[in-house]
Amino acid sequence: MGLSEEIRNKYQAVIGLEVHAQMLTKTKAYSNDKNEFGSQPNTNISAITLGHPGTLPRMNKKTIDFAIKMGLACESDIAPEQYFARKNYFYPDLPKGYQITQDTTPICTGGKVIVKDGEGAEKEVGITRIHMEEDAGKSIHDIDPFNTLIDLNRAGVPLIEIVSEPDIRSSQEAYNYLTEIRKLVRYLDICDGNMEEGSLRCDANVSVMLKGSSEYGTRTETKNLNSIRNVQRAIDFEIERQIIANENGETINQETRNFNAVTGTTTAMRSKEAANDYRYFPEPDLQPISVDQNHIDRVQSTMPPLPAALFKKYTQELGLSAYDAEILTDQKEIALFFEDIISNTKNYKSAANWLMGSVKSYLNEKAIGIGEFPISAARISELINLIDSGKVSNNLASQKLFPAMLESDDSPLKIAEVNNWIQDSDEDAIKNMVLEVFAENPSEFERFKGGEKKLMGFLMGQLMKKSQGKADPKSASKLINELAK
Amino acid sequence: MYATFAEIKAALSEGKTAVDITKSYLANIQKNKHLNAFLEVFEESALAQAKSVDEKIKSGTAGKLAGMVIGLKDNMAYKGHKVSASSKILEGFESIYTATSVERLINEDAIIIGRTNCDEFAMGSSNENSAFGNVLNPHNNEMVPGGSSGGSAAAVAAKLCTATLGSDTGGSIRQPASFTGTVGFKPTYGRVSRYGLLAYASSFDQIGPFTNNVADAALITEVMSGADEYDSTMLQEPAAILDAKYDSSKKMKIAYIKDCIESEGNDPEVKARTLEVIEKLKSEGHTVEAVEFPFLGQMVPTYYVLTTAEASSNLSRYDGVHYGYQSKEAEGVEATYKKSRSEGFGEEVQRRIMLGTFVLSHGYYDAYYTKGQKVRRVIQNKTKAILDEYDFILTPTTPTTAFEIGKNADDPITMYLQDIFTVQANLSGNPAISLPLGQHSNGMPFGIQLMAKHFAESDLLAFSDYMMNSCN
């Protein structure tokens, strides 16, 4: 498909995303069965998960709190009264013949997520709703050549579905939105955000319209998107396909489409007319849920700082660059480590540099997370303070002291003392040494004095040799200049 | 034969054992096989239980129900035992867990003797919808025992066990109790855990006992009641204490619904006897007054719209894929669903699934389901208004005595009207009891129904016990 820039520019894409996130609760949404990925098939199942005759759902209250957290993070309204609904359809991996979900009373409505648009400027993507539901089991088609196998470990795992407004205008924005959602669920510790394992899943609603039009085109819904990159690819394909169809005067059908990651194309799965009538009605086996403001406040008090707030703090209060702030807030663990460092030092820039430099290189080299990093945030703060007090030089700190700290639990000060690395900032001692260097190198001294400033390096080198590296270079160079006058 | 728990306790104190008692019931079941009350007798596990109960009695550690022999309606889970809801669709299915209510009975040393016949998935008023044949009324074998808990009612009437459990969605305990001359009690919705009860209509279903006296109904309900973490729709309170005796100095205020007495379908003797009971109560100093309840015509339709809606969803799990009956002919998943369900479910169950699917479907939902919910709310409010002013509402349990087998089989509407006086308690969730206070000249018994405030089981049962003495 070749589409000229000119034709493409006539159209505006309109995109909304539906994201399903599996909640990291210990047990399932409506039973005490374990919620665990990777167990042997059909081991996390009791009579309730199996939907055996006579069983009833038991509400896992943790799920409600997790959904509230996501709602608060998106500044949604939390519904004070809500009930569950049954969505009825037959499928072999749906043992009850219905899914327990929320229909007319989602736990969260409204809200927004701030993302970067295609040009890198900030924009709001509205949240329509967030609701709770249970996952289905898994149908496995590729193990037995003649039969479909069913694994019900996933059946009943709690999900939240986050539905965005059709506010997204490009595949890049969709990419950024999804990255932001994943960052949020990971910060909140409610979902591991792993799209490959299916704990975060995304369906993309895409339509195109002529620029300037106020009427949306017919939309398609694309499923089976198992990475953020594939969401972007599928949207790109859909936009192009729909523009070409429009240009050729073909109608676009409202339909569900399947993405093929190998070819990068989407194909029609089923049309909306053939869609199921899910016959939603209130789930009579569960009591309605009331959520009062006190409860919401309690949940709020357990929430970590969120990336958007931290980004703002780092750029506006701490004076860090947007680039630094972006990297520091990308992962919650890094951000929290940074927060710990700066609770003991005011040198924010240095803290950021240490974390993004030496610390990150070490983590990358060892392929470990910050949780396994051997030096505590408090000791990094001490190191920064030690440098700032002039007791060790930056160079010595990164060349010698930092590596030593990886091997020892002692404070950086103690390590420096034991190794005789404390910088001599005693002016008289250095002064004498400078005068000695002048005396021992008379011709260089004369040339320096005569204006040959490049000899500063030579003189400093001699001084460092004499002081065994302990002279503070800054004050030493100042003294050389003064004494040579 | 032992009709009540009091008789069993007397026998035990005279040296009989629980094994003796169980064996005599087993023999009586054998003798009355033609009634078709039991689908399966758990002879082995019942005798094993009886043996252990005898040991406990000896060591003085026996529970409250030691020696009581109980039959379960075939829609309750009992671990390691078959359960079929009298349906072919659950062919070969065995429960892997035990219903909370059953477990609580067993914990108090009740002996579970078997599972009783019923209308398929508790849908019916005559027990003619069982996939395993009719149950005969012990009072006259030409007659139905009522339904849906027909086997449970017949078993108690014929003394095949001390008591049985039934489930009541629109009258399925009280109507057969009326037809068989037994006490049938439906507790308040939320009093007894539904965990392990094969659902027909979740917001209506309630488990309750059939017994030959009020005291046994009270004891069994007491043992079964109380909060259960496995049923979140329950009253989250401890078990009810239901051994209160009626204080004869306390005069009650009783309402009767005029339309129920005057209802055209009422048998004249049923009407006359109801009026006689009313007069008797008045003569004992109670206030008995007629009240208006202008929704009699709306109750059965509302009930059928809402219960079939819930049933259509509740019965989705019987799909021929996971357990139970699977059509041998079917190829592919779609055909497996269609054929297994078409072959596995009986006609009445299919009718109700279709009706329920219809009322929930897009475009009809508001006209039927939403409207049904609204009418239910009106009925609930009006029932509450009456019971705010009165202690009880009194009606006949059924308009007639038991009818002949086959007589209404082809006429679902007449059959549905069997529930005309009983559905109110299910729509509103109130406790209600059928007391065997009527005896027709045709030789058949019939019941008087008493309905009480939510969770007022104690008052209701105490007064019922008094009525059984004073009005008989």
Side-chain angles (χ1 to χ4, degrees):
Chain A
M1 286 196 276
L3 201 53
S4 77
E5 200 65 10
E6 188 192 352
I7 291 173
R8 179 186 297 271
N9 283 339
K10 278 163 60 185
Y11 288 91
Q12 175 63 61
V14 176
I15 302 159
L17 298 182
E18 292 170 18
V19 177
H20 284 90
Q22 278 184 347
M23 300 289 94
L24 280 173
T25 51
K26 288 196 181 67
T27 56
K28 293 188 181 178
Y30 307 108
S31 76
N32 252 346
D33 294 336
K34 258 194 285 176
N35 170 15
E36 194 177 76
F37 183 83
S39 303
Q40 283 295 306
N42 295 310
T43 51
N44 300 334
I45 52 167
S46 66
I48 298 178
T49 294
L50 292 171
H52 269 201
T55 54
L56 300 171
R58 294 171 71 188
M59 186 69 218
N60 181 349
K61 299 219 165 71
K62 268 270 159 27
T63 316
I64 302 170
D65 291 352
F66 280 23
I68 292 174
K69 281 185 189 179
M70 191 63 188
L72 291 172
C74 299
E75 297 177 37
S76 305
D77 291 326
I78 313 293
E81 294 288 337
Q82 45 189 301
Y83 55 81
F84 288 91
R86 288 188 188 176
K87 177 181 180 179
N88 295 284
Y89 65 97
F90 287 100
Y91 207 73
D93 57 26
L94 188 72
K96 298 189 296 295
Y98 55 84
Q99 177 194 33
I100 304 177
T101 177
Q102 292 188 304
D103 180 29
T104 54
T105 58
I107 183 157
C108 313
T109 47
K112 60 175 191 280
V113 175
I114 308 287
V115 300
K116 291 267 191 323
D117 69 12
E119 276 74 50
E122 278 190 359
K123 77 170 267 180
E124 276 182 18
V125 174
I127 298 294
T128 312
R129 58 185 280 164
I130 301 172
H131 70 255
M132 298 180 278
E133 60 188 27
E134 60 178 335
D135 212 340
K138 250 186 205 154
S139 296
I140 302 162
H141 304 287
D142 55 359
I143 293 182
D144 183 312
F146 305 109
N147 295 298
T148 295
L149 306 181
I150 305 287
D151 177 7
L152 292 177
N153 281 349
R154 202 179 69 178
V157 164
L159 296 175
I160 56 171
E161 180 174 344
I162 306 152
V163 182
S164 86
E165 290 286 303
D167 288 346
I168 299 168
R169 292 288 173 266
S170 69
S171 69
Q172 182 61 46
E173 265 178 52
Y175 185 96
N176 295 348
Y177 168 82
L178 208 48
T179 305
E180 198 60 34
I181 292 285
R182 185 173 63 180
K183 200 193 280 184
L184 274 178
V185 296
R186 284 177 172 169
Y187 259 77
L188 295 169
D189 224 356
I190 59 176
C191 171
D192 67 18
N194 190 328
M195 288 193 76
E196 286 71 25
E197 287 177 4
S199 45
L200 195 72
R201 306 196 282 272
C202 176
D203 302 333
N205 291 305
V206 179
S207 67
V208 298
M209 62 183 179
L210 285 171
K211 276 185 182 159
S213 168
S214 58
E215 207 173 307
Y216 292 160
T218 305
R219 69 166 193 271
T220 61
E221 181 181 8
T222 302
K223 291 184 179 291
N224 192 27
L225 306 169
N226 65 353
S227 71
I228 297 185
R229 175 78 192 113
N230 280 344
V231 172
Q232 191 175 14
R233 289 172 67 205
I235 291 171
D236 281 336
F237 179 85
E238 264 309 284
I239 293 172
E240 189 152 324
R241 187 187 71 82
Q242 292 184 17
I243 290 176
I244 289 170
N246 263 318
E247 286 292 310
N248 293 341
E250 295 159 13
T251 43
I252 291 160
N253 298 318
Q254 189 177 350
E255 64 193 1
T256 304
R257 297 181 71 85
N258 188 50
F259 179 67
N260 182 329
V262 178
T263 59
T265 59
T266 70
T267 46
M269 276 167 79
R270 56 170 186 264
S271 74
K272 267 288 182 233
E273 291 82 64
N276 277 319
D277 179 356
Y278 291 118
R279 294 178 287 119
Y280 287 98
F281 75 106
E283 163 60 285
D285 286 331
L286 288 169
Q287 297 275 32
I289 303 166
S290 305
V291 179
D292 62 17
Q293 192 55 45
N294 282 339
H295 188 83
I296 296 171
D297 292 345
R298 267 199 303 281
V299 172
Q300 176 101 61
S301 71
T302 66
M303 284 171 52
L306 295 175
L310 289 177
F311 182 87
K312 206 168 153 192
K313 171 178 164 186
Y314 297 169
T315 50
Q316 295 182 6
E317 288 174 38
L318 309 190
L320 300 178
S321 69
Y323 176 80
D324 286 357
E326 194 72 54
I327 294 178
L328 288 172
T329 57
D330 188 43
Q331 288 176 47
K332 180 174 75 168
E333 291 70 25
I334 295 286
L336 292 184
F337 197 83
F338 182 69
E339 287 286 298
D340 283 346
I341 299 176
I342 61 170
S343 66
N344 288 309
T345 177
K346 293 277 167 280
N347 193 342
Y348 309 124
K349 180 63 191 162
S350 177
N353 288 345
W354 275 102
L355 188 49
M356 296 184 302
S358 303
V359 175
K360 269 220 157 166
S361 331
Y362 181 82
L363 300 181
N364 290 341
E365 188 189 313
K366 300 277 174 194
I368 55 171
I370 190 86
E372 293 159 272
F373 184 60
I375 306 176
S376 69
R379 290 171 73 220
I380 298 286
S381 322
E382 284 178 51
L383 176 65
I384 291 166
N385 291 336
L386 204 58
I387 298 164
D388 289 350
S389 70
K391 289 212 168 79
V392 296
S393 71
N394 236 324
N395 256 345
L396 186 134
S398 60
Q399 304 294 327
K400 294 186 171 161
L401 188 46
F402 180 78
M405 286 168 75
L406 292 166
E407 308 297 328
S408 159
D409 285 335
D410 287 338
S411 74
L413 177 63
K414 188 169 171 205
I415 295 172
E417 280 171 351
V418 167
N419 289 291
N420 206 20
W421 289 337
I422 298 292
Q423 226 163 214
D424 237 324
S425 58
D426 178 349
E427 277 207 20
D428 288 338
I430 297 176
K431 204 173 175 177
N432 285 334
M433 281 190 259
V434 171
L435 293 174
E436 275 174 46
V437 169
F438 287 171
E440 285 162 17
N441 305 282
S443 72
E444 283 83 0
F445 170 63
E446 284 308 322
R447 282 160 60 199
F448 180 72
K449 212 175 158 182
E452 229 177 299
K453 290 298 174 201
K454 68 176 185 205
L455 282 166
M456 175 60 109
F458 170 79
L459 296 172
M460 274 294 278
Q462 295 301 309
L463 180 68
M464 283 300 165
K465 215 189 257 172
K466 201 173 267 298
S467 73
Q468 293 171 315
K470 287 190 288 177
D472 172 13
K474 229 188 247 163
S475 46
S477 67
K478 206 170 125 208
L479 273 173
I480 291 174
N481 275 323
E482 273 172 18
L483 293 171
K485 270 181 197 159
Chain B
M1 216 51 250
Y2 312 99
T4 64
F5 191 38
E7 291 172 25
I8 287 173
K9 285 205 273 200
L12 287 171
S13 69
E14 282 160 18
K16 290 268 192 207
T17 64
V19 170
D20 295 335
I21 290 160
T22 307
K23 279 182 174 165
S24 65
Y25 278 130
L26 288 169
N28 206 29
I29 292 172
Q30 195 57 38
K31 220 167 72 190
N32 287 283
K33 250 192 129 100
H34 63 286
L35 295 177
N36 200 23
F38 278 90
L39 291 179
E40 187 186 0
V41 178
F42 304 144
E43 181 163 347
E44 199 180 319
S45 62
L47 286 172
Q49 267 190 293
K51 216 175 136 200
S52 108
V53 169
D54 281 328
E55 279 159 20
K56 286 189 187 174
I57 291 174
K58 236 181 253 168
S59 64
T61 57
K64 274 192 218 178
L65 302 179
M68 188 187 276
V69 177
I70 295 180
L72 305 178
K73 184 176 181 178
D74 185 32
N75 62 356
M76 292 170 200
Y78 180 20
K79 190 175 177 174
H81 293 78
K82 282 190 177 139
V83 61
S84 78
S86 289
S87 179
K88 208 178 145 191
I89 199 115
L90 274 166
E91 194 171 75
F93 180 77
E94 211 172 81
S95 277
I96 61 168
Y97 72 103
T98 299
T100 302
S101 54
V102 176
E103 190 159 83
R104 288 179 180 177
L105 296 179
I106 292 172
N107 287 343
E108 291 295 340
D109 292 324
I111 295 157
I112 308 299
I113 197 163
R115 55 190 173 100
T116 60
N117 204 343
C118 57
D119 282 303
E120 186 179 359
F121 283 100
M123 297 175 183
S125 304
S126 65
N127 218 113
E128 292 167 294
N129 298 333
S130 167
F132 306 109
N134 296 335
V135 174
L136 311 187
N137 192 315
H139 294 272
N140 178 342
N141 291 174
E142 306 283 299
M143 303 291 177
V144 302
S148 65
S149 316
S152 289
V156 169
K159 300 175 193 163
L160 309 185
C161 48
T162 331
T164 52
L165 295 189
S167 64
D168 191 317
T169 308
S172 280
I173 292 175
R174 290 157 291 153
Q175 186 255 17
S178 174
F179 281 9
T180 56
T182 50
V183 172
F185 177 45
K186 181 199 90 75
T188 314
Y189 182 84
R191 180 61 97 184
V192 176
S193 171
R194 290 184 296 117
Y195 188 70
L197 171 68
L198 275 57
Y200 160 18
S202 309
S203 72
F204 292 77
D205 295 343
Q206 187 61 202
I207 292 173
F210 285 91
T211 55
N212 281 311
N213 65 14
V214 174
D216 289 354
L219 180 59
I220 290 169
T221 306
E222 180 175 306
V223 169
M224 290 193 299
S225 71
D228 175 21
E229 55 172 332
Y230 285 91
D231 179 357
S232 61
T233 63
M234 283 192 72
L235 174 75
Q236 295 303 316
E237 268 179 35
I241 304 298
L242 301 175
D243 58 355
K245 281 276 163 263
Y246 171 64
D247 170 6
S248 61
S249 68
K250 214 171 129 197
K251 298 304 171 196
M252 293 292 164
K253 267 190 91 178
I254 301 159
Y256 66 89
I257 295 165
K258 227 172 26 194
D259 288 356
C260 291
I261 309 286
E262 301 300 336
S263 174
E264 248 174 57
N266 282 353
D267 180 291
E269 288 187 40
V270 170
K271 179 181 172 183
R273 175 61 179 148
T274 309
L275 290 170
E276 191 182 58
V277 168
I278 289 170
E279 285 313 311
K280 174 70 185 169
L281 290 171
K282 280 186 187 166
S283 74
E284 299 246 318
H286 304 290
T287 305
V288 189
E289 291 170 348
V291 295
E292 296 291 334
F293 187 80
F295 307 109
L296 211 55
Q298 280 72 49
M299 280 200 286
V300 171
T302 304
Y303 167 83
Y304 275 94
V305 165
L306 297 178
T307 55
T308 56
E310 293 183 13
S312 70
S313 174
N314 283 333
L315 270 60
S316 294
R317 68 189 64 200
Y318 309 108
D319 59 7
V321 171
H322 295 274
Y323 45 77
Y325 178 77
Q326 185 174 69
S327 173
K328 305 291 168 289
E329 323 247 300
E331 272 185 43
V333 69
E334 195 77 21
T336 302
Y337 292 147
K338 286 182 179 163
K339 285 193 182 262
S340 302
R341 287 167 67 82
S342 298
E343 294 163 16
F345 286 132
E347 195 187 339
E348 182 62 24
V349 172
Q350 292 192 31
R351 189 188 345 262
R352 295 197 195 187
I353 290 173
M354 308 260 268
L355 184 55
T357 303
F358 174 74
V359 302
L360 287 178
S361 56
H362 189 71
Y364 298 97
Y365 183 90
D366 285 336
Y368 293 100
Y369 185 78
T370 306
K371 187 170 263 179
Q373 292 280 52
K374 283 182 187 157
V375 178
R376 183 181 196 182
R377 178 51 52 95
V378 169
I379 291 170
Q380 280 170 342
N381 290 343
K382 180 65 185 168
T383 304
K384 184 177 182 300
I386 295 173
L387 285 168
D388 281 345
E389 206 174 318
Y390 295 90
D391 295 298
F392 308 115
I393 297 171
L394 185 147
T395 68
T397 309
T398 50
T400 64
T401 57
F403 47 88
E404 271 171 61
I405 292 168
K407 191 183 156 208
N408 292 333
D410 297 326
D411 183 359
I413 302 296
T414 307
M415 195 70 101
Y416 292 177
L417 287 173
Q418 279 296 317
D419 298 329
I420 187 156
F421 303 138
T422 48
V423 289
Q424 185 182 0
N426 303 87
L427 284 163
S428 64
N430 291 76
I433 193 165
S434 177
L435 300 171
L437 287 169
Q439 183 60 47
H440 200 278
S441 59
N442 64 15
M444 299 305 289
F446 59 90
I448 298 290
Q449 175 180 249
L450 209 55
M451 199 189 314
K453 295 177 176 59
H454 278 253
F455 301 107
E457 279 90 350
S458 182
D459 291 345
L460 175 62
L461 292 167
F463 195 72
S464 295
D465 187 47
Y466 151 82
M467 271 179 71
M468 285 306 294
N469 294 319
S470 73
C471 298
N472 235 340

